[in-house]
Amino acid sequence: MQAMTPRHHLGEATLLSYAAGALPVALAIVAATHLSLCASCRRQLRLAERIGGGLMALQTGAPSPAGAREAMLARLDEPFRTRVADAHEALPIDDPHALPVPLHPYFGRAFDALHWRWMAPGMYYIRARVDRGTLLLIRIAPGKGLPRHGHHGDELTCVLQGAYDDEFGHFRRGDLAELGSEERHKPVSAAGVPCICVGGLTGGLRYESRLARAAQPLFGL
Ligand SMILES: [Zn+2]
């Protein structure tokens, strides 16, 4: 089967923040996940890093863009720096049976070995806490969907398997969705195989229905 090229990409502002090491950890890990699956955004990132390096060289008189990247990475915490700095570069291999490399420290390598927790009929999740945010793996059976919700902070979501549809389009493996606190959506898993996504959240989800809100503390979402 021909490898699919993502159609939904990192926004310019997010990419620049990522290049500057300024994205919250939860979002940066999902951005790195998309980068590991998207050659187009990797090219954009290299460009952003050159621009960032050039700007920093102007400010500091430092001659090399590589030095600026080092300076940017030096501002990140050590474990996060090593994981994220090179994660998107480590992956010319796109193995559909393995989780993307940036997610390995949090969820392991293999889809088969994931320990899912029940959330609702046809819906499962695994949560990992990161500094000031949450990473969430969600698996949704074909035709099922999350209740309509907004977010208290920002959310980045990347599709790892299957596909879903919402108000913003059709999202397949590698596709990235960026949602700010103003936007609400109701993602529904497409027909075929279950949809597995990773979401990075800086705040909690904000559900519209009372029932969904009532159930929220149970799942810690
Ligand atoms: Zn992309």
Side-chain angles (χ1 to χ4, degrees):
M1 192 175 76
Q2 194 184 348
M4 288 194 273
T5 308
R7 287 187 188 168
H8 299 274
H9 301 281
L10 283 162
E12 209 167 62
T14 308
L15 195 74
L16 285 170
S17 296
Y18 179 87
L23 269 192
V25 175
L27 305 185
I29 291 161
V30 177
T33 300
H34 174 77
L35 284 158
S36 76
L37 300 171
C38 182
S40 160
C41 282
R42 285 199 297 273
R43 279 194 298 277
Q44 293 295 113
L45 176 68
R46 285 193 287 274
L47 192 63
E49 284 172 343
R50 280 207 292 277
I51 293 168
L55 290 176
M56 203 170 288
L58 278 178
Q59 281 177 348
T60 62
S64 84
R69 180 178 164 82
E70 291 298 308
M72 175 272 279
L73 292 173
R75 293 202 306 274
L76 301 176
D77 294 339
E78 173 55 37
F80 174 62
R81 179 163 67 229
T82 44
R83 274 174 208 157
V84 168
D86 301 315
H88 58 268
E89 290 162 8
L91 243 204
I93 314 136
D94 180 10
D95 176 359
H97 301 292
L99 275 82
V101 169
L103 300 177
H104 291 182
Y106 306 96
F107 302 110
R109 294 171 164 275
F111 283 109
D112 292 349
L114 291 169
H115 297 289
W116 293 101
R117 299 182 66 177
W118 189 88
M119 175 161 68
M123 290 190 244
Y124 298 82
Y125 76 100
I126 305 170
R127 186 179 51 178
R129 294 232 182 261
V130 295
D131 183 39
R132 278 166 293 162
T134 302
L135 282 177
L136 205 58
L137 273 190
I138 294 188
R139 191 182 87 197
I140 305 178
K144 298 273 186 185
L146 287 177
R148 179 179 303 279
H149 63 276
H151 308 91
H152 291 296
D154 293 321
E155 182 194 83
L156 283 186
T157 301
C158 187
V159 179
L160 307 178
Q161 279 191 0
Y164 75 82
D165 296 276
D166 71 2
E167 290 83 340
F168 302 101
H170 181 67
F171 293 79
R172 305 174 305 178
R173 176 172 165 82
D175 279 331
L176 187 101
E178 284 194 40
L179 288 162
S181 49
E182 301 302 307
E183 285 148 326
R184 288 172 301 184
H185 69 150
K186 184 183 188 327
V188 175
S189 185
V193 296
C195 181
I196 298 179
C197 295
V198 62
L201 299 100
T202 56
L205 298 185
R206 206 173 51 206
Y207 290 104
E208 280 182 4
S209 90
R210 269 184 62 208
L211 182 63
R213 278 206 304 276
Q216 205 168 0
L218 298 177
F219 309 117
L221 304 179

